[in-house]
Amino acid sequence: MEYPAVFLKPEVHSLAKKYVTPEVFEEHKNKKTSRGYTLLDCMQSGIQNLDSDTGLYAGDEECYTAFGNVLDNIVEDYHAPYKIADGHTPDMNPDHLNCPNPDPEGKYIRSTRIRVARNLKGYGLAPNLGKQERLDIERKVVEVLTSLTGDLAGKYYPLQGMDEATRQKLVDDHFLFKKGDRFLESAGCNKEWPEGRGIYHNDAKTFLVWINEEDQLRIISMEKGSDIGSVFRRLCKAVNEIDAKLGFQHSPGLGYITSCPTNLGTGMRASVHVKIPKAHAHPDFKAICDKYHIQPRGIHGEHSESTGEDAGVYDISNRRRLGLSEVRCVQDMYDGLMKLLEIEKS
Ligand code: ADP
Ligand code: ARG
């Protein structure tokens, strides 16, 4: 097993490159988790995508501890100033949230969405799942979801056999994931696509669960407008009910375990689609995003641009997920959003 020579190219700036030096690689290259995953396996996405920021995915929970301090270093760098020894404390009590509707007249904000990532105990993570395991996970999760009642009651729509027009409409309307991008492809998350993948949702499409994409579950609450409290309340109720029935991979220092180190902790991304052409063009836009721990995306998901009739509309979300509570994640998004709206209006 050779150190990936492409990492020596100057254009590679990933955290994987930063912490897996040739010496570190030499020290850990022959280690394997009990599910057979190596450090080189974890690094595949960063090796095949030289523009990666993180450049590494875990194939199972054990990867986070199997290769000395490599993953700890990456986690602490991305989630700085958090230290794993500090421990991660959750808070999914919606009464603790202070986010009065930021745009009651609906002039700026189109929609609000909060998701968390979760993975079942006793299984690998997406990059290292076999076909049968993926199908088992799908069956277990669907069984629990279809037992939910009230506004969480819904149906499961497997990707396998879904007609193309239905699938495309769900993607265009921001409900369904696309086929995993080149990062997930090279991490091994797209194997045997689309088998074992699908989406559960209620009739109103305000509560949705993605099954077997980058993580085994992405639990999502979303609605039109900007009632962040309502979206968070629905999410908390759903997650607490699902959590009680399916055990999730979790550790005191890393919180909920996810395949990408950036999602550890709460696994939460709280976002709004908001029209802020002026704030976006402001010379301090990036500095404000950094200061408020928020991240801009295009409105068609990660690595997308906002063009055409969507020009000026951005997906604004919390960037931090580990070492702060779920309530604080939403609060980060809210505080940053309020600052951007202030600039937009002035
Ligand atoms: P994730 O949130 O799971 O990390 P993406 O950034 O790829 O993944 O977004 C997934 C989908 O969710 C995309 O279709 C995106 O447009 C949609 N989405 C994200 N935030 C919102 C929002 N606030 N309102 C409506 N749709 C959203
Ligand atoms: N692997 C990509 C990178 O390193 C994306 C990481 C964050 N996004 C994600 N969907 N996990 O740049």
Side-chain angles (χ1 to χ4, degrees):
M1 227 179 271
E2 297 283 322
Y3 175 78
V6 287
F7 268 24
L8 299 173
K9 292 190 173 185
E11 68 265 32
V12 179
H13 57 80
S14 64
L15 293 177
K17 169 177 174 166
K18 184 170 171 185
Y19 292 105
V20 189
T21 60
E23 297 72 37
V24 168
F25 183 78
E26 208 45 44
E27 193 184 339
H28 301 296
K29 67 177 187 185
N30 294 322
K31 296 180 178 167
K32 273 187 180 175
T33 67
S34 24
R35 299 175 56 89
Y37 223 62
T38 65
L39 182 56
L40 191 61
D41 292 332
C42 293
M43 293 158 65
Q44 278 312 310
S45 192
I47 293 171
Q48 293 176 45
N49 298 282
L50 299 184
D51 55 345
S52 289
D53 292 323
T54 310
L56 175 146
Y57 290 83
D60 50 57
E61 183 169 359
E62 216 183 303
C63 290
Y64 282 104
T65 48
F67 312 116
N69 286 335
V70 170
L71 274 85
D72 284 357
N73 289 336
I74 290 175
V75 168
E76 291 189 347
D77 190 314
Y78 182 86
H79 297 277
Y82 179 71
K83 296 285 174 215
I84 292 168
D86 295 348
H88 171 87
T89 313
D91 181 0
M92 285 211 84
N93 183 340
D95 297 338
H96 295 168
L97 192 69
N98 181 21
C99 297
N101 193 330
D103 181 29
E105 290 173 18
K107 278 174 73 176
Y108 302 93
I109 298 175
R110 287 187 182 177
S111 52
T112 305
R113 172 183 185 266
I114 311 180
R115 60 84 164 159
V116 293
R118 294 287 187 271
N119 293 282
L120 302 194
K121 268 190 201 141
Y123 291 93
L125 296 166
N128 188 26
L129 279 182
K131 175 170 151 173
Q132 193 52 49
E133 289 180 301
R134 208 180 294 111
L135 293 173
D136 284 351
I137 292 164
E138 181 189 38
R139 185 179 42 77
K140 281 191 185 172
V141 174
V142 169
E143 204 173 289
V144 166
L145 293 176
T146 47
S147 74
L148 297 173
T149 56
D151 62 340
L152 305 182
K155 272 209 307 224
Y156 179 59
Y157 303 86
L159 231 54
Q160 177 99 308
M162 185 184 286
D163 72 87
E164 179 50 23
T166 307
R167 191 198 63 80
Q168 191 59 50
K169 177 142 176 54
L170 283 169
V171 171
D172 293 345
D173 292 345
H174 307 289
F175 297 123
L176 180 61
F177 49 89
K178 300 174 246 192
K179 182 169 180 178
D181 61 21
R182 60 192 166 91
F183 299 92
L184 294 179
E185 175 69 35
S186 45
C189 297
N190 293 349
K191 291 190 290 276
E192 287 115 15
W193 192 274
E195 238 181 311
R197 281 81 174 190
I199 182 171
Y200 169 94
H201 63 75
N202 63 3
D203 271 353
K205 299 200 188 86
T206 54
F207 168 60
L208 310 96
V209 181
W210 294 356
I211 299 183
N212 284 323
E213 195 239 8
E214 176 175 335
D215 289 292
Q216 294 166 18
L217 288 91
R218 288 284 173 100
I219 306 173
I220 302 162
S221 169
M222 64 196 282
E223 64 187 51
K224 294 240 179 309
S226 49
D227 190 343
I228 299 170
S230 151
V231 174
F232 187 58
R233 219 171 302 116
R234 187 187 311 109
L235 182 80
C236 292
K237 182 174 148 201
V239 170
N240 292 334
E241 283 191 35
I242 299 171
D243 227 328
K245 294 184 177 168
L246 294 165
F248 292 131
Q249 296 177 32
H250 182 273
S251 89
L254 298 177
Y256 287 102
I257 304 296
T258 53
S259 66
C260 180
T262 65
N263 278 315
L264 289 167
T266 58
M268 176 171 279
R269 198 171 80 85
S271 65
V272 288
H273 280 179
V274 57
K275 191 158 184 131
I276 42 164
K278 297 188 189 105
H280 187 262
H282 194 282
D284 296 338
F285 179 72
K286 190 177 175 308
I288 292 164
C289 290
D290 290 345
K291 177 172 175 206
Y292 285 85
H293 312 290
I294 54 174
Q295 182 186 59
R297 293 183 178 183
I299 64 157
H300 296 287
E302 193 176 21
H303 309 120
S304 71
E305 299 292 333
S306 294
T307 52
E309 62 181 43
D310 297 324
V313 183
Y314 293 90
D315 172 325
I316 298 295
S317 65
N318 60 298
R319 182 181 177 281
R320 306 188 294 179
R321 312 188 215 289
L322 174 63
L324 70 171
S325 70
E326 288 78 359
V327 166
R328 187 61 237 177
C329 287
V330 181
Q331 206 72 52
D332 271 3
M333 183 276 281
Y334 184 79
D335 295 348
L337 169 67
M338 292 309 278
K339 182 69 194 171
L340 293 177
L341 285 177
E342 181 193 308
I343 296 174
E344 186 68 24
K345 289 172 189 173
S346 69

